[in-house]
Amino acid sequence: CVLKLKQSKSPLIKLLDHLLRALEKRDPHQFFAWPVTDDIAPGYSSIITKPMDFSTIRQKIDDSEYLSLMEFSGDFKLMCENAIKYNHVDTVYHKAAKKLLINGMKLLTPDSLLRSLKPMS
Ligand SMILES: CC(=O)c1cc(-c2ccccn2)c2ncccn12
């Protein structure tokens, strides 16, 4: 058998791992953990053209699909904006998405990122 040498994780992947875990902690009900299905959300796939959720973001990190922090934060914003668009303003999902977006963007600001990077320097 051919042993695949485990490449050590790049600094970007380590940072994205850290940020994903921090963002998932801000979704205690796990509303954003898995793809939204048409079964739980009628008509979802015809309203939301680019679905996104934390499990998909995790898979993209593991497949090295993110080449920059901007691509990662773009998927995070997309995930929140989908929920803001599909769910009426008076639903738990719409409210949770707005709160998650605001908290998430605080994590992705330059000085917050510098604090995340500090231990790596
Ligand atoms: C994120 C989102 O839009 C969402 C998550 C869920 C959800 C997530 C986990 C368990 C149950 N529902 C949901 N249900 C109905 C309508 C919308 N949603």
Side-chain angles (χ1 to χ4, degrees):
C1 68
V2 178
L3 284 174
K4 187 173 182 303
L5 284 176
K6 197 105 179 84
Q7 307 292 341
S8 66
K9 287 185 176 181
S10 74
L12 176 65
I13 291 182
K14 283 182 189 160
L15 174 63
L16 298 187
D17 270 344
H18 163 77
L19 293 173
L20 177 60
R21 282 195 301 274
L23 293 170
E24 286 173 325
K25 283 192 190 112
R26 287 161 172 77
D27 174 31
H29 302 288
Q30 298 204 306
F31 292 151
F32 301 91
W34 306 105
V36 181
T37 61
D38 283 346
D39 297 338
I40 62 170
Y44 192 85
S45 57
S46 45
I47 296 165
I48 299 300
T49 53
K50 290 197 288 179
M52 189 48 62
D53 68 284
F54 280 135
S55 73
T56 304
I57 293 175
R58 159 55 59 205
Q59 191 60 55
K60 287 178 74 170
I61 294 173
D62 294 346
D63 297 346
S64 300
E65 279 189 55
Y66 293 119
L67 302 181
S68 71
L69 177 61
M70 291 305 288
E71 288 173 10
F72 170 86
S73 47
D75 272 353
F76 170 72
K77 281 186 212 166
L78 170 65
M79 181 183 77
C80 296
E81 283 152 4
N82 286 344
I84 290 165
K85 178 180 177 185
Y86 174 84
N87 300 284
H88 293 302
V89 65
D90 59 351
T91 61
V92 286
Y93 306 117
H94 185 109
K95 292 176 181 143
K98 287 183 78 170
K99 194 173 168 197
L100 181 61
L101 182 59
I102 290 166
N103 287 329
M105 293 323 295
K106 283 181 194 157
L107 265 180
L108 298 171
T109 54
D111 44 354
S112 169
L113 286 168
L114 277 174
R115 276 196 296 278
S116 299
L117 284 167
K118 211 128 192 68
M120 295 171 76
S121 49

